[in-house]
Amino acid sequence: RVMLFYPIMLGGLARLLLHRHLLTSQFAAATAVVLVILAAGFDFGMIAGFSLLDDRDDHVLVSILISPVSADRYVWVKVAFAFLMAVLAGAATILISGILTPPAPGMFLVALLAAMQVPINAFLVNVFAHDRAEGLAATKFTGILVFLPVVAWLLTDWKQWILAFVPGFWPTKAIQSQSVASTITTSHTVLPLGFSAFIAVGFLWCFIAAGFTFILFKKRPL
């Protein structure tokens, strides 16, 4: 219930900073919103991950093995719900902040791609942790996945591709290619992909990463 107010609080804060001229440039404002949008996917992924850890501690997944519903379907339903919440939070943050103005379909695609962090983060937490205490420690490690795309946001030459393995890299660069590309005028700029290409490749990579982390998750005992 607290997370339902997530986009209102963070989007409203970004809007307030913009209208109070505390974010004095479009680049700084867009950087703040990128961080907020990426945090939505990360936070809801952590919620899904901790929920699965609770199920492990309470032996819920073991009980499901003797029910008509498969454990895999149960896990994906939980992850899908968190994914949907992350999509809505990301889209609402963009709308409420009023900083980025991509077309409506583009805005939805960015929120959708940023939310692809949810299954990856949820499964990673369960790969590294056995219980809630270890899960808390794991989130400190996986939290770097939120900040690395911000580093990529600041890079516009070949070095940006070093961070392409991070799921949040792709929605970050999609926003950059559409919203602030006109401000990048240096001769060493390398943005060979357009908005659609960043979105398409990002979805492909995130699907692969989600499938790989799910395989690792299944290798852990219930």
Side-chain angles (χ1 to χ4, degrees):
R1 288 193 293 268
V2 171
M3 292 301 290
L4 291 176
F5 296 97
Y6 179 91
I8 299 175
M9 292 186 296
L10 295 186
L13 177 61
R15 190 180 189 92
L16 177 65
L17 293 176
L18 178 66
H19 286 274
R20 292 290 180 88
H21 303 291
L22 298 177
L23 295 175
T24 56
S25 69
Q26 181 190 12
F27 189 84
T31 302
V33 173
V34 164
L35 182 58
V36 170
I37 294 171
L38 293 176
F42 176 82
D43 290 341
F44 281 99
M46 293 303 100
I47 290 174
F50 272 99
S51 179
L52 292 175
L53 282 175
D54 284 340
D55 289 341
R56 272 182 167 171
D57 285 351
D58 298 334
H59 305 292
V60 173
L61 297 179
V62 175
S63 301
I64 288 177
L65 294 178
I66 60 172
S67 73
V69 178
S70 68
D72 288 358
R73 180 177 299 181
Y74 174 82
V75 167
W76 278 108
V77 166
K78 277 205 163 188
V79 170
F81 178 76
F83 172 81
L84 177 61
M85 295 296 294
V87 173
L88 296 177
T93 299
I94 297 175
L95 284 173
I96 294 171
S97 67
I99 294 177
L100 302 179
T101 56
M107 176 194 69
F108 178 76
L109 287 174
V110 168
L112 198 66
L113 182 54
M116 287 296 294
Q117 299 174 97
V118 169
I120 299 171
N121 291 336
F123 296 140
L124 275 180
V125 169
N126 280 266
V127 167
F128 291 114
H130 295 86
D131 52 37
R132 299 177 184 90
E134 290 184 2
L136 183 61
T139 58
K140 297 181 182 297
F141 170 74
T142 57
I144 195 173
L145 296 178
V146 176
F147 296 101
L148 286 180
V150 178
V151 176
W153 171 268
L154 302 175
L155 299 175
T156 56
D157 58 3
W158 64 268
K159 292 188 289 293
Q160 64 186 320
W161 299 108
I162 298 175
L163 301 175
F165 69 94
V166 181
F169 170 89
W170 300 98
T172 298
K173 287 300 176 178
I175 294 174
Q176 190 175 54
S177 68
Q178 183 161 336
S179 299
V180 296
S182 60
T183 67
I184 304 174
T185 57
T186 57
S187 59
H188 59 276
T189 296
V190 180
L191 281 178
L193 301 181
F195 178 82
S196 299
F198 275 119
I199 292 292
V201 177
F203 272 116
L204 177 60
W205 170 243
C206 287
F207 275 119
I208 294 173
F212 178 71
T213 52
F214 179 64
I215 292 174
L216 295 179
F217 168 79
K218 290 189 65 176
K219 289 183 178 297
R220 299 298 298 273
L222 298 179

